[in-house]
Amino acid sequence: MDASKKIQAALMMIGFLSLTACGSNLSSAILPDDPTNESQNIANEDGGSTAEPSESEPIASDLSSQEAVLAKFDYIDPSRLVPNKHLKAALLYFDANKSKVKNVSYLSVIDYGQHSSKKRFYVIDMKTGSVWSMRVAHGKGSDSDHNGYLEKFSNVSGSNATSNGFMKSAEIYSGSHGMSLRLDGLSSTNTKVRSRAIVIHGADYVQESNVVQGRSWGCPAVAMENRTKLINMIKDGSIIYATK
């Protein structure tokens, strides 16, 4: 190998090692938490009256009936981004309760079983089947070590934790984080999301990069760059399924 080729090879190796080091530093970064806590936020956001969960229609229990329902949605998520078991559960619930759903244009799945550095908030366009995915924070009370993994859900006021189950989006308002979207619980596991002021909002402690996201006090907070588009898409009665 002549001198010029040796120099070129050496430069390529240095570049590779630099990228590897940068990638390592990036993925190990931890973003700061929301500085507030749940009790402060309830006062700041004025969650309003507590909405009782609406009674959902029974979901088809036998396999053949479920397969018939899911066959209607075989165009959904062609790139297979949404974890299959969560997508099936969301579609079955959506189909059973569609007559009572105000915003049928979008269906969302949040897979809190994934690390917070992953794009785990999935917004499904029910007309085209396409999926938009983004990163989302979980609550301080759900991740005691701030390692990016959700340990537990809670429906308890003051827990600073994330709640799971089916929810529906409600009204837009301007709160301490600016443009925000209220949520109402539809499952027994999330009856207090409105009274706890658990809302969708943008936050500087969430970024679209491979890092441990900052923790909220239970809100599914997203990056500021995604906030307005997301809220305008799923406002006014869209179904959101939060699970693990």
Side-chain angles (χ1 to χ4, degrees), residues 20-158:
T20 302
C22 289
S24 175
N25 290 337
L26 181 64
S27 62
S28 63
I30 300 176
L31 297 180
D33 291 332
D34 188 324
T36 64
N37 59 47
E38 185 178 322
S39 59
Q40 288 175 307
N41 192 73
I42 291 173
N44 292 339
E45 304 299 300
D46 185 22
S49 60
T50 302
E52 293 297 324
S54 59
E55 185 176 348
S56 61
E57 295 295 328
I59 297 172
S61 57
D62 63 282
L63 185 59
S64 60
S65 297
Q66 290 184 6
E67 289 176 346
V69 170
L70 294 173
K72 298 189 297 183
F73 300 108
D74 60 0
Y75 66 96
I76 295 289
D77 190 19
S79 299
R80 300 294 183 263
L81 299 176
V82 190
N84 192 47
K85 66 176 181 179
H86 302 328
L87 178 60
K88 286 182 176 179
L91 288 172
L92 289 170
Y93 184 94
F94 176 86
D95 185 76
N97 295 279
K98 188 175 180 179
S99 63
K100 296 182 290 188
V101 175
K102 186 177 179 182
N103 181 349
V104 297
S105 297
Y106 299 98
L107 172 65
S108 300
V109 174
I110 307 177
D111 179 15
Y112 285 114
Q114 297 183 54
H115 191 265
S116 69
S117 64
K118 304 301 182 182
K119 293 185 176 184
R120 54 186 184 165
F121 192 139
Y122 305 96
V123 182
I124 304 161
D125 186 320
M126 295 303 292
K127 181 178 291 185
T128 67
S130 63
V131 176
W132 176 33
S133 57
M134 72 201 79
R135 291 170 173 86
V136 62
H138 53 239
K140 299 175 186 179
S142 292
D143 176 6
S144 59
D145 297 326
H146 201 175
N147 61 10
Y149 289 103
L150 182 142
E151 304 159 347
K152 62 182 180 180
F153 293 109
S154 178
N155 191 36
V156 176
S157 298

Side-chain angles (χ1 to χ4, degrees), residues 130-198:
S130 63
V131 176
W132 176 33
S133 57
M134 72 201 79
R135 291 170 173 86
V136 62
H138 53 239
K140 299 175 186 179
S142 292
D143 176 6
S144 59
D145 297 326
H146 201 175
N147 61 10
Y149 289 103
L150 182 142
E151 304 159 347
K152 62 182 180 180
F153 293 109
S154 178
N155 191 36
V156 176
S157 298
S159 65
N160 293 317
T162 296
S163 293
N164 61 318
F166 288 97
M167 295 172 278
K168 66 177 178 180
S169 64
E171 70 274 17
I172 295 175
Y173 73 102
S174 181
S176 58
H177 291 280
M179 184 183 189
S180 304
L181 181 65
R182 296 201 195 279
L183 301 171
D184 289 317
L186 300 175
S187 300
S188 60
T189 52
N190 57 28
T191 56
K192 297 181 180 179
V193 291
R194 178 172 283 259
S195 62
R196 292 176 60 202
I198 303 300

